[in-house]
Amino acid sequence: ATYETLLVERREGGVTLITLNRPQALNALNNQVLGELVAAAQAFDADPSQGCAVLTGSEKAFAAGADIKEMQPQSFGDMYGDNYFAGWEMFTRTRKPVIAAVAGFALGGGCELAMMCDFILAADTAKFGQPEIKLGVAPGMGGSQRLTRAVGKAKAMEMCLTGRFMDAAEAERAGLVSRVIPAAELVDEAIKVATQIAGMAPLAVKANKEMVNAAFETMLGQGVQFERRLFHGLFGTEDQKEGMTAFVEKRQGTWKGK
Ligand code: HXC
């Protein structure tokens, strides 16, 4: 498929690189971007040759937010009636990992989209923020919830109430991003990490993603139970036999995804 607001490339080793490409609007997320990104994520998920995706933007902006020009004339009835942006939930249903590689601005919906990915690798130029309050509104793509879970109440509340941006170093200290990388190396490093993940046993990758995500939806005991059941389930796979046998025989495992 070809897209107008995205570039999608399949790299060697089962890595899909998705680049947001609306430079004239700093990758602002409108309904077209939403539709195309959900379609690209579903195509990636459905393609057995692909194991991990990287979602990135430009050097200047991962995404500067939801599209303010698209939202500006909308009424409550329009937004509520259309359930505006509910479609982003479909993006979060991607079962294979998606890494956000963030350089420059990740603001409002841009920060929220990065947080919908499985983890964030940040360039040293990255700036995160939820400045919706300055527009007279509030986050609408999960920011008040995911940012609070990621960095705790104090920082999330301050950021939402003042619109202040967090730079990459602060984002790493606060646990919003897994690592900070020099901007010039960001995408290569993200592809390297994605290639590593794409080389793991596919069912184990899905199980690991699913169980870490369960930590956000369950109480501890329930989450541990969920983990244990999925862990038991992996002993029904050929890749578990292969992985453990390969270790015992001191060789590299080869995966079937079965
Ligand atoms: C639409 C946007 C945009 C946005 C930038 N642009 N952000 N268009 N929606 N979110 C457009 C500008 O209008 C401009 O187009 C072009 O991109 C370049 O932007 P500039 O402002 O000229 O660039 P610069 O001066 O470098 O400033 C960069 C910036 C600033 C600090 C990131 O653009 C900015 O503050 N953007 C808005 C950030 C924001 O408030 N995001 C939250 C959005 S609300 P023209 O045609 O004028 O040249 C949100 C809600 C989520 O995300 C909930 C959804 C339901």
Side-chain angles (χ1 to χ4, degrees):
T2 53
Y3 304 101
E4 282 175 18
T5 65
L6 304 178
L7 301 169
V8 180
E9 300 163 53
R10 285 186 169 66
R11 297 292 183 94
E12 254 171 68
V15 173
T16 300
L17 175 64
I18 304 174
T19 306
L20 297 165
N21 187 32
R22 272 192 90 203
Q24 72 287 1
L26 300 183
N27 293 329
L29 307 167
N30 61 11
N31 265 317
Q32 186 181 9
V33 178
L34 165 56
E36 293 190 353
L37 199 48
V38 167
Q42 288 174 343
F44 154 70
D45 229 10
D47 183 343
S49 75
Q50 299 300 293
C52 188
V54 173
L55 176 63
T56 196
S58 68
E59 262 171 52
K60 178 162 182 191
F62 176 74
D67 191 313
I68 298 167
K69 292 166 190 170
E70 186 178 81
M71 294 184 288
Q72 190 241 338
Q74 312 276 340
S75 68
F76 166 76
D78 297 330
M79 297 297 264
Y80 185 71
D82 294 347
N83 207 3
Y84 191 74
F85 276 178
W88 286 109
E89 276 160 30
M90 290 199 274
F91 177 77
T92 67
R93 278 184 218 131
T94 312
R95 294 185 66 213
K96 294 175 193 167
V98 182
I99 303 170
V102 174
F105 296 111
L107 304 178
C111 184
E112 295 170 295
L113 174 59
M115 293 189 292
M116 283 180 216
C117 297
D118 295 300
F119 59 94
I120 302 173
L121 293 172
D124 48 14
T125 58
K127 288 197 174 9
F128 299 90
Q130 298 292 159
E132 290 91 339
I133 193 159
K134 294 183 178 173
L135 302 166
V137 292
M141 286 166 54
S144 65
Q145 307 303 299
R146 291 197 179 90
L147 187 65
T148 306
R149 282 164 163 80
V151 305
K153 181 180 171 185
K155 275 183 193 287
M157 190 67 94
E158 189 202 347
M159 286 172 72
C160 288
L161 289 178
T162 67
R164 146 173 115 74
F165 299 165
M166 205 189 249
D167 67 17
E170 184 181 1
E172 185 182 25
R173 281 199 306 277
L176 178 60
V177 310
S178 66
R179 274 189 295 137
V180 180
I181 294 154
E185 295 158 30
L186 174 72
V187 174
D188 285 349
E189 179 63 20
I191 287 172
K192 214 167 98 186
V193 177
T195 307
Q196 204 185 346
I197 294 168
M200 303 290 180
L203 296 174
V205 169
K206 283 187 172 141
N208 275 273
K209 169 167 171 166
E210 211 179 348
M211 59 174 75
V212 173
N213 279 334
F216 293 94
E217 309 285 352
T218 58
M219 302 292 279
L220 180 63
Q222 239 185 323
V224 170
Q225 179 87 347
F226 180 81
E227 177 197 85
R228 194 182 306 124
R229 291 291 174 251
L230 258 181
F231 167 73
H232 292 160
L234 290 169
F235 285 73
T237 68
E238 292 180 29
D239 285 345
Q240 174 269 330
K241 294 286 168 298
E242 166 63 8
M244 293 194 174
T245 305
F247 175 84
V248 171
E249 294 176 355
K250 301 187 190 297
R251 59 174 175 81
Q252 202 65 39
T254 53
W255 312 120
K256 290 191 179 152
K258 289 196 221 166

